[in-house]
Amino acid sequence: MDVGKVKSLLTRRVVIPAIVGGAALSLGAYTIMKPGSAVMAAPGYTAAAGPLDNNSVSALLSLDQAMETLAARVTPAVVNVTVTSKVNSPHQVSEGDDDGQDGQQMPPMLGPSSPFGQFFRGQPQQGPTIEHGLGSGVIISPDGYIVTNNHVIDGAIDINVTMSNREVYKAKLIGADPLTDLAIIKIDGKNLPSIPWGDSSQLHPGQMVLAFGNPLGFRFTVTRGIISALNRSNPYGTDRHKPGQFIQTDAAINQGNSGGALVNARGELIGINTFIISQSGGFAGMGFAIPQAIVQHTAETLIRDGQVHHGFMGVTIADVTPDNAKFFQMNKAVGAVVSDVSPDSPGGKAGLKTGDVITALNGKEVSDAGELQMEVSQKQAGDTIHLEVARDGKTLNVPVTLEPLGGSKGDHEVAQNGNGKGRWGLSLANITPDVRNQIQLPENVHGAVVQDVRSGSPADDAQLQPGDVIVSVNRKPISSASDAADAFKGVPSGQDALVLVWSNGGNSFRVLHPSNG
């Protein structure tokens, strides 16, 4: 969440309010300066009722006092981060741009008017330019370690930190992790105010939270809200390796809040504010924070090693849903189903197969694909993890030795939402060399290509599109269009079909419900 040029933001913000505010102040001053006796003597004037008795609103007054205490405790540990960065190419730079570096792309659903277009960087410039950005950070240790977002400091050639008491420090970059969008910077100091870690695994929707940061150039702002939802999936469509599990809150988060603190009622750090989703470019009640479970692990690793070497299995995973659970002989919709295994990947070498359901990691139950992806991403390359796998009604224990993320071209560790619905209503064709080249289908993927989807049909409702490839039907591999047609015909009347679909570079399972007609 970046701020554009602070000067331009302030200029745009104050022009009209200054005029309206001046008129109101002038009229208000005239009334206040009248003698009190003259006001009381005005015909028909009756004095206002007195305030509510303290006892009748004691709960609200106690809440106010608690909020004031909480804000006073946390604010000194939240800092203003200003950076100077050099931009070498003439283009619109935003949080959605990665300046040529993978892992910096922001959620595609935000659109061109997204606040990410202005949250941190400035307006487009021609040629090499020096730009100034503004974000937030959180002091996590008394000796000056500060956690913030990677996109706040990415490309910075100079970093300054301003404390709530207006003291300014030079900061140095300790390490950054583009995958989780987190970074650690450090200032020289002793006995600095800091925020203790909370436990994001103990959060629940409805809990009260406070968000701290420097929105729109207004330093050291605090807003209050609740946890709206937990475990929100990864919105970064350009890099599906990124872990999700975001905390959603309605506490107001705006441009400049990136890297700021999300705290619970105890003043514990439960998340780092990172992005919002909005059609207008302003806060629309949906802010998102990276949970403490990811932040603390990443921060401690960066402080210790200066970088993070994420491990990966090399598989594509999706949620087990009520729709597809029966096809994997699962009694309940928990776990992560493997929808693709990359050749020569750690998962492939360990014997994982498409259709396996991973139900536990190192003895800990896996609730969904997002949780598994987060847990694996926090492991180091070389670590061996032990997976509990459900396969065809049997339980297997599969050890997997992780490799460095990015170490094998084409390998994937992808978590996908599994809530798509599908039905019949599509035409299929064989995959010819020309088709394979046109849709950039890997040589190891076989099946039948979707040629047409009838508008308004069940397949259309399922968001199947021309160019998608049907890889299997009811877990039986498909090698041609006629093979797929026979497989669909073989599904008993009124029963669903489980379809493995290759689309946009990855596989996902979809349950197709037959039409009622």
Side-chain angles (χ1 to χ4, degrees):
M1 282 168 277
D2 321 339
V3 179
K5 302 272 175 97
V6 174
K7 182 177 180 181
S8 63
L9 280 172
L10 293 175
T11 301
R12 290 197 301 270
R13 187 172 54 245
V14 300
V15 174
I16 295 176
I19 298 173
V20 176
L25 179 61
S26 174
L27 181 59
Y30 172 78
T31 302
I32 290 171
M33 288 187 293
K34 285 185 176 183
S37 59
V39 174
M40 294 299 295
Y45 179 84
T46 302
L52 293 171
D53 180 79
N54 285 354
N55 291 332
S56 64
V57 291
S58 59
L60 292 178
L61 294 176
S62 296
L63 178 61
D64 280 348
Q65 186 176 15
M67 292 298 100
E68 292 168 9
T69 300
L70 177 56
R73 168 65 177 81
V74 173
T75 295
V78 178
V79 300
N80 175 285
V81 180
T82 56
V83 306
T84 302
S85 58
K86 188 174 183 180
V87 178
N88 295 312
S89 58
H91 68 286
Q92 174 75 41
V93 185
S94 73
E95 277 192 11
D97 293 326
D98 67 353
D99 294 335
Q101 300 182 22
D102 290 341
Q104 291 302 99
Q105 300 262 346
M106 284 293 169
M109 74 285 285
L110 294 169
S113 62
S114 161
F116 286 126
Q118 305 163 359
F119 259 30
F120 183 66
R121 308 216 186 250
Q123 299 301 315
Q125 302 288 336
Q126 297 296 321
T129 59
I130 297 297
E131 291 189 345
H132 302 281
L134 172 67
S136 305
V138 183
I139 303 175
I140 56 173
S141 69
D143 55 346
Y145 284 101
I146 297 170
V147 63
T148 185
N149 282 131
N150 177 64
H151 69 258
V152 170
I153 54 81
D154 184 44
I157 58 178
D158 185 61
I159 306 174
N160 289 290
V161 167
T162 303
M163 307 283 288
S164 61
N165 62 5
R166 299 186 181 277
E167 290 183 0
V168 179
Y169 294 82
K170 285 286 186 181
K172 62 179 179 180
L173 177 63
I174 299 300
D177 181 33
L179 187 73
T180 57
D181 193 20
L182 292 167
I184 293 292
I185 59 178
K186 190 179 187 303
I187 59 177
D188 291 329
K190 295 181 179 179
N191 300 318
L192 295 171
S194 59
I195 301 179
W197 295 108
D199 185 353
S200 57
S201 70
Q202 299 301 310
L203 301 179
H204 302 282
Q207 279 185 251
M208 188 277 300
V209 293
L210 296 184
F212 293 78
N214 302 279
L216 301 171
F218 287 101
R219 295 179 177 180
F220 311 110
T221 296
V222 56
T223 57
R224 185 173 71 184
I226 64 170
I227 294 175
S228 303
L230 295 168
N231 304 327
R232 286 305 194 195
S233 60
N234 167 23
Y236 303 88
T238 54
D239 187 354
R240 295 184 293 174
H241 291 92
K242 286 178 173 288
Q245 304 299 93
F246 291 102
I247 301 168
Q248 180 183 333
T249 179
D250 67 349
I253 295 174
N254 281 290
Q255 303 168 17
N257 273 113
S258 275
L262 188 70
V263 305
N264 61 15
R266 297 169 55 87
E268 296 171 323
L269 185 63
I270 58 171
I272 293 296
N273 304 321
T274 300
F275 68 91
I276 67 175
I277 294 179
S278 172
Q279 296 294 327
S280 65
F283 180 67
M286 296 178 65
F288 296 84
I290 304 170
Q292 163 272 334
I294 294 177
V295 178
Q296 184 173 359
H297 172 84
T298 303
E300 291 173 349
T301 303
L302 289 173
I303 291 171
R304 183 184 67 242
D305 302 330
Q307 56 186 331
V308 180
H309 298 287
H310 295 279
F312 88 116
M313 289 192 294
V315 300
T316 300
I317 52 178
D319 291 339
V320 177
T321 69
D323 268 349
N324 66 28
K326 61 185 178 182
F327 293 98
F328 305 108
Q329 301 183 40
M330 299 293 293
N331 294 325
K332 55 183 179 178
V334 295
V337 60
V338 176
S339 56
D340 189 33
V341 180
S342 297
D344 299 320
S345 68
K349 295 173 184 176
L352 289 176
K353 298 181 179 180
T354 299
D356 284 348
V357 177
I358 299 172
T359 58
L361 185 153
N362 292 340
K364 179 184 177 183
E365 182 176 299
V366 171
S367 61
D368 56 33
E371 181 181 8
L372 177 62
Q373 186 184 27
M374 181 186 73
E375 293 290 341
V376 172
S377 71
Q378 295 185 34
K379 304 297 182 184
Q380 300 290 314
D383 288 350
T384 297
I385 59 176
H386 296 271
L387 303 177
E388 185 175 297
V389 175
R391 178 187 297 167
D392 298 327
K394 300 178 181 179
T395 300
L396 308 174
N397 291 308
V398 180
V400 180
T401 300
L402 304 178
E403 295 179 4
L405 179 63
S408 300
K409 185 177 180 181
D411 287 342
H412 300 285
E413 180 83 41
V414 179
Q416 302 169 342
N417 288 333
N419 57 1
K421 292 184 178 180
R423 293 188 177 111
W424 283 256
L426 70 165
S427 61
L428 303 171
N430 291 325
I431 299 173
T432 66
D434 286 343
V435 169
R436 184 177 294 275
N437 181 63
Q438 183 178 0
I439 64 176
Q440 299 181 9
L441 183 69
E443 290 294 331
N444 65 322
V445 178
H446 305 280
V449 64
V450 176
Q451 190 173 40
D452 185 48
V453 177
R454 189 171 65 251
S455 178
S457 69
D460 187 28
D461 294 340
Q463 299 182 1
L464 287 173
Q465 299 178 3
D468 290 348
V469 174
I470 305 298
V471 177
S472 72
V473 176
N474 282 346
R475 303 181 63 183
K476 295 181 179 179
I478 298 300
S479 60
S480 65
S482 61
D483 197 10
D486 290 341
F488 279 120
K489 290 178 182 178
V491 177
S493 177
Q495 292 190 12
D496 300 336
L498 181 71
V499 178
L500 182 61
V501 179
W502 180 93
S503 180
N504 295 321
N507 287 355
S508 63
F509 279 108
R510 309 191 191 184
V511 176
L512 304 187
H513 304 286
S515 61
N516 295 325

